[in-house]
């Protein structure tokens, strides 16, 4: 238990263990959205919400929401939460820690006899992870009114996304966009090693990095690997290798700036991929993430110049970089960041500000309300893996910060109106 805090680590630990036990056989911590195990996990969450004395429902977007009415509901809603679905063979804390911490905040308020003026909602967003339909953050996009209508026709195994949302209890025909949410907060494991390495309790998230994916096609010429002289080749692979090294070098240079930046050649396909043939073609897909949009624009510009130079040097044709997808960074609300900093100080949590290199539901909630996040440490930065781990105490510390922040927001938001 955190000193002088009603947050109970034992309840948090029991919740995490119970959800961890609901998994695909032989696949630890696997509850993909829309599967029977996901629905079983949701049923367990609804049971715990009811046991705590709160009402719950599935909204039109397919999100599970627990509601604790405020004494002045006309003031609007403060929302906390994350997601309970996982990646295949994923971790037992990614998303789940945020849902459990939010539920514990509600229980702690009830234990103390504190009735907020604002309504408090705890949310388990539908399908934050990439789903069987190839898209993610389905529930938070629904609440924020940003889910593309054409997504509903996406299909997998003869089942559409529209039908699947209906099966989990949603109603895709109804507009799920909300306008009553005054603030949203999400707790999440860091999914990186910074907090652990710096021996800190909390990361106050300043922004969620924008993600840009860029395709490059390198076209050489297939020749016999044994008879074609080394100086007469148009080897697509060696040119692509130079480009990959250039991406890494440029990414490292931009990462030295003030803001978070990362670039990865994540997909790499070579043709004809035969041992005795000089490679004729390579397709590369770059994943670049930036907290600052000017950094991303600089990356795209310098990438274009760099690959043209490499192509001229090797004599191999390199396509212009093609932007496949391009999402801008999402800054978190400055006022909420200040509230979270103060909550960390009040609860005795050591903390720093930092950006998120991963995407989160918070990025979509920021479209309709003030939104912010906190990170808690995870061991060795591991995530999306059965080895993902954080301590119950770390989640409890984060929940204590959320509790203090919610109480402060209940007052501060009224003063701002």
């Amino acid at each position: 238990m955190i000193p002088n805090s009603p947050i109970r680590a034992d309840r948090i630990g029991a919740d995490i263990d119970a959800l961890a036990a609901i998994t695909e056989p032989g696949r630890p911590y696997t509850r993909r959205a829309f599967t029977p195990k996901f629905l079983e996990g949701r049923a367990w969450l609804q049971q715990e919400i009811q046991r705590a004395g709160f009402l719950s429902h599935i909204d039109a977007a397919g999100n599970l929401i627990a509601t604790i009415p405020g004494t002045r509901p006309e003031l609007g809603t403060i929302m906390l939460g994350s997601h309970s679905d996982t990646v295949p063979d994923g971790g037992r804390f990614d998303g789940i820690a945020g849902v459990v911490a939010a539920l514990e905040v509600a229980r702690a308020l009830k234990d103390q006899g504190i009735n907020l003026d604002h309504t408090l909602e705890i949310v388990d967003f539908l399908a934050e992870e990439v789903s069987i339909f190839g898209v993610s953050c389905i529930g938070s996009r629904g609440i924020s009114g940003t889910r593309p209508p054409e997504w509903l026709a996406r299909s997998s195994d003869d089942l559409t996304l529209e039908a699947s949302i209906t099966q989990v209890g949603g109603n895709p025909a109804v507009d799920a966009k909300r306008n009553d949410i005054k603030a949203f907060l999400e707790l999440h494991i860091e999914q990186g090693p910074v907090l652990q390495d710096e021996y800190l309790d909390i990361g106050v998230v300043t922004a969620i990095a924008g993600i840009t994916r860029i395709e490059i096609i390198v076209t050489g010429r297939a020749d016999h690997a044994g008879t074609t002289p080394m100086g007469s080749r148009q080897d697509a692979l060696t040119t692509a290798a130079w480009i990959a090294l250039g991406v890494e070098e440029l990414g490292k240079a931009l990462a030295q700036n003030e803001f978070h930046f990362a670039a990865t050649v994540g997909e790499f396909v070579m043709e004809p991929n035969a041992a005795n043939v000089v490679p004729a073609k390579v397709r590369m897909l770059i994943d670049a993430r930036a907290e600052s949009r000017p950094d991303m624009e600089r990356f795209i510009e310098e990438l274009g110049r760099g690959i043209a130079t490499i192509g001229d040097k090797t004599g191999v044709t390199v396509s212009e970089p093609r932007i496949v997808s391009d999402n801008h960074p999402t800054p978190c609300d400055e006022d909420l960041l200040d509230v979270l900093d103060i909550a960390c100080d009040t609860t005795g949590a050591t903390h720093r500000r930092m950006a998120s290199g991963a995407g989160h539901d918070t990025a979509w909630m920021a479209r309709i309300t003030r939104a912010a996040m906190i990170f808690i440490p995870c061991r060795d930065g591991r995530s999306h893996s059965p080895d993902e781990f954080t301590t119950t105490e770390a989640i409890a510390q984060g929940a204590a910060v959320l509790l203090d922040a919610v109480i402060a927001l209940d007052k501060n938001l009224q003063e701002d109106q």
Side-chain angles (χ1 to χ4, degrees):
M1 181 175 291
I2 307 297
N4 303 317
S5 173
I7 294 295
R8 285 178 46 184
D10 61 320
R11 285 192 298 214
I12 289 173
D15 290 346
I16 294 290
D17 289 345
L19 281 169
I22 303 172
T23 184
E24 298 288 345
R27 304 187 71 184
Y29 322 127
T30 299
R31 286 189 314 279
R32 297 199 73 190
F34 306 110
T35 66
K37 285 298 177 183
F38 170 74
L39 294 176
E40 186 179 340
R42 276 247 169 125
W44 182 89
L45 279 170
Q46 286 182 298
Q47 173 187 301
E48 290 306 300
I49 290 167
Q50 183 178 15
R51 182 176 298 171
F54 310 133
L55 299 176
S56 70
H57 72 283
I58 305 293
D59 74 355
N63 302 301
L64 170 62
I65 298 176
T67 303
I68 302 89
T71 59
R72 298 179 59 195
E74 70 276 7
L75 292 174
T77 300
I78 298 172
M79 179 178 277
L80 309 176
S82 194
H83 62 97
S84 68
D85 67 311
T86 74
V87 298
D89 303 309
R92 52 190 170 126
F93 300 97
D94 176 358
I96 291 89
V99 175
V100 168
L103 178 58
E104 179 57 23
V105 167
R107 290 186 295 215
L109 286 168
K110 183 179 180 182
D111 289 347
Q112 287 184 297
I114 296 176
N115 297 311
L116 300 179
D117 290 332
H118 290 78
T119 293
L120 179 66
E121 289 187 345
I122 310 306
V123 61
D124 170 26
F125 288 114
L126 176 65
E128 191 270 356
E129 304 290 2
V130 177
S131 66
I132 57 174
F133 300 101
V135 290
S136 60
C137 294
I138 293 171
S140 53
R141 290 181 197 248
I143 281 185
S144 60
T146 56
R147 187 190 66 209
E150 61 270 19
W151 277 18
L152 294 177
R154 283 177 168 261
S155 63
S156 176
D157 294 330
D158 297 323
L159 191 66
T160 64
L161 175 57
E162 182 176 21
S164 295
I165 292 174
T166 302
Q167 285 184 4
V168 302
N171 186 351
V174 174
D175 184 1
K177 185 176 180 180
R178 299 277 296 273
N179 58 17
D180 63 306
I181 302 170
K182 303 304 179 183
F184 173 75
L185 296 174
E186 179 177 9
L187 176 149
H188 206 280
I189 60 170
E190 181 195 346
Q191 300 178 283
V194 174
L195 295 175
Q196 173 189 270
D197 292 350
E198 296 184 7
Y199 301 98
L200 296 174
D201 299 319
I202 299 291
V204 178
V205 179
T206 55
I208 298 166
I211 305 174
T212 301
R213 294 199 168 101
I214 305 167
E215 181 187 66
I216 297 172
I217 305 294
V218 182
T219 305
R221 188 183 68 207
D223 283 305
H224 196 291
T227 62
T228 307
M230 295 300 294
S232 301
R233 301 180 178 208
Q234 294 182 26
D235 188 329
L237 176 58
T238 54
T239 297
W242 280 105
I243 292 171
L245 291 171
V247 168
E248 181 181 45
E249 183 178 352
L250 180 55
K252 285 181 176 179
L254 289 169
Q256 297 303 310
N257 295 342
E258 177 184 358
F259 302 106
H260 176 82
F261 189 90
T264 307
V265 178
E267 289 187 20
F268 195 96
V269 180
M270 180 176 68
E271 297 176 10
N273 201 31
N276 61 346
V277 181
V278 175
K281 184 178 180 180
V282 170
R283 175 187 176 272
M284 310 168 66
L285 190 64
I286 299 167
D287 177 299
R289 306 191 179 212
E291 178 184 2
S292 165
R293 183 62 189 182
D295 283 349
M296 182 64 76
E297 292 171 353
R298 178 183 168 189
F299 175 79
I300 294 170
E301 180 182 349
E302 294 195 16
L303 175 68
R305 287 201 301 265
I307 65 174
T309 299
I310 291 170
D312 290 342
K313 178 180 178 180
T314 63
V316 170
T317 301
V318 182
S319 70
E320 290 284 335
R322 183 176 77 88
I323 296 177
V324 177
S325 61
D326 189 24
N327 293 316
H328 286 222
T330 303
C332 291
D333 183 83
E334 283 291 340
D335 291 337
L336 292 191
L337 297 182
D338 290 340
V339 168
L340 290 170
D341 280 335
I342 293 170
C344 286
D345 291 335
T346 302
T347 59
T350 56
H351 58 102
R352 61 163 288 176
R353 291 196 174 189
M354 62 191 303
S356 171
H360 296 284
D361 289 309
T362 297
W364 301 101
M365 294 302 294
R367 308 291 181 94
I368 58 168
T369 188
R370 297 178 176 184
M373 296 185 72
I374 60 171
F375 283 159
I376 58 172
C378 60
R379 186 170 61 195
D380 300 327
R382 300 293 305 281
S383 184
H384 286 192
S385 159
D387 295 329
E388 177 183 278
F389 182 78
T390 190
T391 66
T392 300
E393 291 72 23
I395 303 173
Q397 179 72 77
V401 171
L402 286 183
L403 174 62
D404 192 86
V406 165
I407 293 172
L409 283 173
D410 190 44
K411 177 182 178 182
N412 295 351
L413 291 172
Q414 296 180 55
E415 294 174 350
D416 291 345
Q417 292 182 4

